[in-house]
């Protein structure tokens, strides 16, 4: 078992949720993880491309959430 509780070698994935009502359109999420986030061409607000991105994206997704000035990204 790993310290995170899963079997050794198991890739842990993250789940991502966005709150478009809270989004201010800064685009930090897109810069941090473009494979997971984009911005709506009409209003500039966040669009989620992958609610369950691959494990190798987890660190970039967490960084995107940390960089969001509006707190519009939730990672579990």
């Amino acid at each position: 078992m790993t310290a995170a509780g899963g079997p050794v070698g198991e890739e842990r994935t993250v789940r991502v949720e966005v709150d478009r009502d809270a989004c201010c359109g800064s685009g930090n999420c897109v810069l941090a993880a473009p494979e997971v986030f984009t911005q709506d061409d009409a209003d500039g607000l966040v669009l989620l491309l992958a609610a369950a991105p691959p494990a190798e994206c987890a660190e970039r997704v967490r960084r995107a959430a940390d960089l969001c000035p509006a707190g519009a990204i939730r990672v579990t």
Side-chain angles (χ1 to χ4, degrees):
M1 296 289 274
T2 65
V8 173
E10 175 185 323
E11 289 194 20
R12 298 180 58 92
T13 59
V14 295
R15 295 276 309 156
V16 184
E17 297 174 13
V18 296
D19 181 351
R20 285 180 47 88
D21 291 332
C23 179
C24 65
S26 73
N28 290 341
C29 57
V30 178
L31 294 173
E35 65 274 51
V36 179
F37 305 99
T38 192
Q39 287 177 280
D40 190 319
D41 288 335
D43 58 17
L45 300 181
V46 66
L47 291 174
L48 185 60
L49 298 175
E56 62 268 11
C57 297
E59 188 59 36
R60 290 188 301 279
V61 169
R62 287 186 187 94
R63 180 156 173 72
D66 289 343
L67 291 172
C68 180
I73 301 170
R74 181 172 174 223
V75 180
T76 55

